[in-house]
Amino acid sequence: MSFVKIWTHLVFATKDRQPLLTQNIRYQIHKYIIENCKEKGIFLQAINGYTDHIHCLISLGKDQNIAKISQLIKGESSLWINKNKLIKQQFGWQDDYFAVSVSESQVSTVISYINNQENHHQKKSFSDEVEEFMNRYGWQLLNN
């Protein structure tokens, strides 16, 4: 019997980082993503975000990869948002996402970080948060 437990912190933003996710809409989207993950067998431990992005803590299963899970979460949620006309304009997520592994010893810290997004972004913009992640994890944005 296989056992796989790979924690991943996944972050993705609205198209052009538009601040479209008002509090009411944001919670509806989170609820939808939680239910969709349950239906698809995706173990979503935590979800939260702010006006222009969402954070998820996911444990990958043995037949899952982050690209497929990201595609499912982003694709199906954007279809649902547009179908239900939650936003007046056509909604979409940016193509890119940020995903980093999380050690078991840091899971509770990451859950707290995700759960505290609204307070966190009263003090720090998403752009500043992205720059902090870039510095911490040693990656850079590619300009095409």
Side-chain angles (χ1 to χ4, degrees), residues 74-139:
K74 291 168 44 182
E76 293 189 13
S77 63
S78 64
L79 286 172
W80 181 81
I81 291 165
N82 289 319
K83 177 183 168 191
N84 290 284
K85 300 182 183 346
L86 295 182
I87 295 171
K88 292 178 184 176
Q89 64 195 69
Q90 183 73 15
F91 179 83
W93 300 108
Q94 286 195 170
D95 291 337
D96 295 331
Y97 55 87
F98 168 80
V100 64
S101 61
V102 176
S103 68
E104 188 71 33
S105 65
Q106 292 300 305
V107 167
S108 62
T109 301
V110 173
I111 290 170
S112 293
Y113 179 79
I114 290 172
N115 289 340
N116 196 38
Q117 282 297 292
E118 289 192 37
N119 290 332
H120 174 74
H121 286 293
Q122 299 301 316
K123 302 172 198 146
K124 184 182 288 189
S125 72
F126 181 52
S127 292
D128 290 341
E129 183 177 50
V130 169
E131 188 172 326
E132 182 180 298
F133 283 150
M134 290 171 64
N135 292 332
R136 182 182 302 160
Y137 298 108
W139 59 275

